[in-house]
Amino acid sequence: MLKQPQTKYRAFPPVPLKGRRWPDAQLTKAPVWLSTDLRDGNQALIEPMDAARKLRMFELLVQVGFKEIEVGFPASSQTEFDFVRKLIEEDRVPDDVTIQVMTPAREELIERTVQALAGARRAIVHVYNAVAPVWRRVVFGLEVPQVMELIARHVGQVRRLTDAQPQTEWILQYSPETFSLAELEVSHQACETAITAWGAGRPIILNLPTTVENATPNVFADQIEWMVRQFADRPEVVLSVHPHNDRGTGVASAELAMMAGAHRVEGCLFGNGERTGNLDLVNVALNLYTQGVDPQLDFSDIDAVRRTVEHCNQLPVHPRHPYVGELVYTSFSGSHQDAIKKAFAARCEGDVWEIPYLPIDPKDLGRSYEAVIRVNSQSGKGGMSYLLESEYGVAMPRRLQIEFSQVVQRVMDRDGKELTAADLWQLFRHEYGLDARNVIQHRVWEATAGDDGQRRVQLSASIDWQGAARAVQGQGNGPIDAFASALSAAVGGPVRVIDYQQHAIGEGADARAMAYVELRLGDSPAFFGVGADSDTSAAAMQALISGLYRAHAAGWVPEPAREDAQCAVVAA
């Protein structure tokens, strides 16, 4: 191994571009999109798509809204040729969609390619040849003038063959392949040669690829702006880019290229393609969307798009893939969860989207909020409380969140696995006794006015305590206060209600009250109890008993001294 292996590489030289405008540009509209999933993406698969999977992918691309679709390489195989013929002969191409096919610059392949398009309403023939120095020198052994002669001859052949089929609207796409590695003057000369051979004034797409990423995205942006300046007054020319992702910066290259003036972008859904893949069109489109720009592509059911792409490509989409991955809207971190929960609570319908850690509203892509927050050992009270509230309507007071999060953390430390919303609900019900049968057998209370004019409530109730009925009696300024007084007598010490909150779960006849009581027994720490019932008073009393059960479990409530005691000692 070389001591300094980096010395065999050299940095790509900067572009001598004066007064570059792209750094100050802002993207305000979508480009023309070209999906090459059926050509560039397909040829990169371990097992290329069969006809059924190709058709399913084509139909998906149409459904999403692509108006230009590269459907194959018909000269490469009979399967590819037959698929293009199927689309045309069965009239499967919508009137507003243009199909594109690709061919290398070779006479026999060009002829076969144009044959495949016979009868199409409108078609783009994509011809390419490599122009970069290492290809000229090592692969083909050609000098620049010889390269230009080949371009003129092959584009001229495309023109003659397509002119013989005037019923089709023809567009040429020429790619100076390996553009990002070539001298700009050579690429410009290649494009001008193609324009001349095709016919000045006829529509032409000049596709400028980063065949292999070899420099930072700003260099590619400079290359594109340099080319844009050469064709600024040529309305028949559409400048297109086809970034690859060898450096992991394909999306950045595409965005900066658009800022530099590119009109059109080629790529694949979720970045499929050779080596590290083509540009991810979904990523670029939804990046625009988050900036308030309509991408003109419909990803409102992004999971359905992902399932189809995974089926057709027989490749999985990574769970951390931008916008579509299973985990991209998920927060495990407690601080993240708390911030998300607070922002959701503060947001009003119609507000500008400002949710921490969520650059896009998952609902816009057909995702639910269920996966936004998930609970593991790194989570905190915010995530746990958010899941219980969003899934089960449990709006816990803040101090109850803190208390229950400790219960959850003990389970997480013991089991070391993620807890779902259903797991948390089961744990909550168990911890606060919501699964127990109603321990209040009956209750009677009566409100009267005292001598001082204050309201007084006399309450008596029978409580099921360890299989035996126990009677409690008390009075107070309301049913809850009276019940706390009765329980104070039962435990032989004051039961003080520190905080009481209640809210409804559900609506109409199915509505139930959820009550939260924070209480303290003498010098004990605070304990929370939770109760649920269709009757609000019953829910509050259940919450008081729930708290006493938990206090007993912690050793703060003694066992009853006598079974015939007038007031029952409530214990777990």
Side-chain angles (χ1 to χ4, degrees):
M1 180 177 177
L2 296 174
K3 291 183 178 180
Q4 293 182 311
Q6 73 275 8
T7 58
K8 68 182 179 183
Y9 303 100
R10 64 176 180 268
F12 194 86
V15 177
L17 185 69
K18 301 298 183 182
R20 54 180 57 83
R21 295 183 291 271
W22 64 262
D24 295 322
Q26 184 175 14
L27 298 177
T28 58
K29 66 177 182 178
V32 176
W33 303 104
L34 181 282
S35 162
T36 186
D37 288 88
L38 291 166
R39 198 278 301 172
D40 204 347
N42 186 49
Q43 73 183 34
L45 299 177
I46 299 170
E47 180 183 337
M49 299 179 221
D50 57 21
R53 284 189 285 144
K54 289 198 75 170
L55 183 58
R56 185 168 175 181
M57 178 68 83
F58 178 78
E59 291 172 345
L60 171 68
L61 295 170
V62 170
Q63 178 184 344
V64 165
F66 284 94
K67 302 305 179 186
E68 296 185 3
I69 302 172
E70 192 165 48
V71 295
F73 187 169
S76 66
S77 70
Q78 191 64 42
T79 299
E80 291 282 289
F81 186 93
D82 290 344
F83 178 72
V84 177
R85 296 307 310 154
K86 180 181 182 69
L87 294 178
I88 296 170
E89 292 170 1
E90 297 180 4
D91 197 23
R92 291 180 177 271
V93 182
D95 291 344
D96 62 345
V97 173
T98 301
I99 58 173
Q100 174 175 306
V101 295
M102 190 201 73
T103 177
R106 288 171 49 189
E107 284 84 352
E108 70 279 11
L109 300 182
I110 291 171
E111 183 173 1
R112 180 69 166 165
T113 298
V114 176
Q115 287 175 358
L117 292 169
R121 284 186 292 270
R122 184 171 57 256
I124 301 170
V125 179
H126 178 193
V127 181
Y128 73 94
N129 67 295
V131 298
V134 69
W135 274 262
R136 299 194 312 257
R137 184 179 68 253
V138 176
V139 180
F140 301 115
L142 298 174
E143 299 296 330
V144 170
Q146 294 173 297
V147 172
M148 301 306 152
E149 290 174 8
L150 288 175
I151 296 170
R153 182 168 76 247
H154 294 135
V155 172
Q157 182 189 10
V158 175
R159 177 173 181 173
R160 289 190 300 274
L161 292 172
T162 56
D163 282 350
Q165 298 185 39
Q167 71 277 15
T168 299
E169 179 185 343
W170 296 100
I171 300 170
L172 176 72
Q173 174 166 311
Y174 170 70
S175 291
E177 183 73 351
T178 65
F179 163 80
S180 59
L181 287 156
E183 311 94 326
L184 284 168
E185 293 77 10
V186 172
S187 295
H188 179 227
Q189 184 181 354
C191 290
E192 290 287 8
T193 301
I195 290 172
T196 300
W198 179 242
R202 300 180 70 181
I204 185 170
I205 299 167
L206 300 178
N207 188 51
L208 309 175
T210 54
T211 305
V212 179
E213 276 199 313
N214 57 283
T216 51
N218 62 296
V219 173
F220 185 58
D222 282 348
Q223 292 173 323
I224 297 303
E225 183 167 333
W226 190 95
M227 292 293 284
V228 166
R229 293 181 185 184
Q230 314 311 309
F231 298 99
D233 299 322
R234 310 276 280 276
E236 74 279 11
V237 173
V238 172
L239 283 175
S240 180
V241 292
H242 182 119
H244 278 254
N245 199 42
D246 300 272
R247 292 170 54 92
T249 57
V251 168
S253 293
E255 291 180 329
L256 297 187
M258 288 190 291
M259 292 165 65
H263 312 113
R264 184 174 180 267
V265 173
E266 295 190 359
C268 293
L269 298 179
F270 310 125
N272 180 44
E274 290 183 293
R275 303 184 308 281
T276 56
N278 289 283
L279 169 70
D280 181 353
L281 294 179
V282 181
N283 199 340
V284 178
L286 292 178
N287 282 355
L288 287 174
Y289 185 74
T290 64
Q291 301 303 301
V293 177
D294 182 357
Q296 302 292 310
L297 296 175
D298 182 5
F299 294 112
S300 59
D301 190 355
I302 199 166
D303 285 338
V305 175
R306 173 183 52 79
R307 287 192 295 270
T308 299
V309 171
E310 287 180 329
H311 167 78
C312 294
N313 290 342
Q314 297 187 351
L315 290 172
V317 173
H318 195 280
R320 296 292 183 189
H321 200 100
Y323 297 111
V324 70
E326 179 186 355
L327 297 176
V328 295
Y329 305 113
T330 300
S331 288
F332 291 104
S333 163
S335 60
H336 291 196
Q337 293 173 351
D338 186 60
I340 291 170
K341 178 177 180 291
K342 289 175 178 175
F344 272 131
R347 186 175 187 275
C348 296
E349 190 65 31
D351 286 354
V352 172
W353 183 256
E354 290 183 315
I355 302 294
Y357 307 107
L358 290 176
I360 195 170
D361 186 346
K363 283 191 173 180
D364 290 348
L365 305 181
R367 300 285 286 265
S368 71
Y369 295 136
E370 296 176 15
V372 170
I373 290 176
R374 290 164 64 171
V375 175
N376 66 11
S377 60
Q378 303 303 307
S379 305
K381 64 183 186 304
M384 168 271 300
S385 60
Y386 173 83
L387 286 178
L388 287 179
E389 183 170 0
S390 62
E391 296 298 309
Y392 298 100
V394 178
M396 289 184 284
R398 178 175 175 78
R399 289 193 295 275
L400 176 55
Q401 295 177 26
I402 296 171
E403 180 185 272
F404 183 58
S405 68
Q406 295 169 353
V407 175
V408 173
Q409 191 64 50
R410 286 195 294 271
V411 174
M412 290 300 312
D413 290 342
R414 183 192 69 205
D415 297 342
K417 66 177 184 178
E418 178 187 353
L419 294 180
T420 65
D423 294 331
L424 291 169
W425 178 231
Q426 183 179 6
L427 184 59
F428 184 81
R429 293 179 63 87
H430 174 75
E431 177 68 22
Y432 294 99
L434 295 179
D435 288 328
R437 62 190 179 90
N438 195 334
V439 295
I440 304 177
Q441 300 302 308
H442 70 271
R443 68 187 189 280
V444 178
W445 61 277
E446 178 182 4
T448 60
D451 295 339
D452 55 2
Q454 297 296 316
R455 182 173 183 259
R456 292 288 186 268
V457 171
Q458 298 286 338
L459 180 142
S460 63
S462 178
I463 300 173
D464 180 29
W465 161 246
Q466 294 185 342
R470 300 286 181 172
V472 295
Q473 295 178 355
Q475 67 174 2
N477 57 21
I480 298 172
D481 189 41
F483 196 52
S485 174
L487 295 177
S488 295
V491 300
V495 176
R496 292 183 292 127
V497 176
I498 301 171
D499 187 36
Y500 167 70
Q501 296 184 36
Q502 192 175 86
H503 65 80
I505 294 179
E507 298 178 354
D510 295 328
R512 304 181 72 208
M514 182 71 79
Y516 311 97
V517 172
E518 185 178 13
L519 54 81
R520 181 171 282 132
L521 289 81
D523 296 329
S524 78
F527 290 92
F528 268 96
V530 181
D533 198 280
S534 56
D535 179 275
T536 57
S537 295
M541 295 178 188
Q542 295 283 5
L544 273 166
I545 294 175
S546 167
L548 286 173
Y549 282 173
R550 301 183 69 249
H552 175 267
W556 285 93
V557 178
E559 294 288 351
R562 307 189 320 272
E563 288 192 2
D564 61 350
Q566 182 181 16
C567 298
V569 176
V570 181

